[in-house]
Amino acid sequence: MLFRSTYDDLAISALRFMTAKNPNFIKEFAQNRADELERKFVKSSVKSKDKVKALADFLTTEGYSSTIHKVGVGHEMCQHHCPIAHVAAEFPDLCEAETAVFSKTLGTHVQRLATIAHGDGVCTTFIPKTQKG
């Protein structure tokens, strides 16, 4: 007999319930989750000079299987897996808060081009080359 895991269903149900009680809940939750991601990244990348590579490596340890490719005037970061894709499909604030953390930690505006949560094959983020790098 195969036992199916329903963690995503439980998370979505819980978020729906809490958001029904407090419409601001999901934005606050997404920001809290992003803040924690940022704290962990900053702690893991203290000695790294290449913040873009450090971010991709960090995200891989968090289950996102990330790669970096140089493109034009910057980099393209691809996340080949998203551990929260099913939840983020219903609650895109999670992706938006995550993208804001990328921008903040890298010190430049980044742009999401695709997300697994929206049905794309990978999450793709364009990271322009900064003046320093």
Side-chain angles (χ1 to χ4, degrees):
M1 177 177 259
L2 180 65
F3 294 98
R4 186 171 92 84
S5 175
T6 61
Y7 299 121
D8 290 345
D9 296 340
L10 178 63
I12 290 169
S13 180
L15 291 173
R16 281 180 187 155
F17 175 80
M18 290 182 252
T19 301
K21 300 250 181 220
N22 173 2
N24 293 321
F25 173 80
I26 194 63
K27 285 195 181 298
E28 293 171 12
F29 175 74
Q31 187 60 55
N32 181 267
R33 184 180 176 285
D35 290 345
E36 182 59 28
L37 197 66
E38 179 185 3
R39 279 191 289 278
K40 289 168 71 176
F41 170 66
V42 168
K43 185 177 178 181
S44 75
S45 69
V46 170
K47 297 176 185 170
S48 179
K49 290 184 180 179
D50 186 345
K51 291 288 187 187
V52 174
K53 181 176 178 347
L55 179 60
D57 291 346
F58 168 74
L59 290 171
T60 294
T61 67
E62 293 293 308
Y64 292 86
S65 186
S66 299
T67 57
I68 293 289
H69 307 280
K70 289 185 179 183
V71 293
V73 293
H75 293 87
E76 180 178 82
M77 181 171 63
C78 295
Q79 295 162 253
H80 302 276
H81 178 260
C82 178
I84 64 164
H86 291 98
V87 178
E90 185 161 339
F91 299 99
D93 289 327
L94 294 166
C95 293
E96 292 169 18
E98 192 176 87
T99 303
V101 164
F102 297 169
S103 183
K104 182 178 177 187
T105 58
L106 297 174
T108 188
H109 173 75
V110 303
Q111 183 177 9
R112 275 282 166 101
L113 305 174
T115 65
I116 294 169
H118 289 121
D120 299 304
V122 296
C123 294
T124 306
T125 305
F126 176 72
I127 303 164
K129 185 177 179 180
T130 63
Q131 296 298 328
K132 297 178 214 171

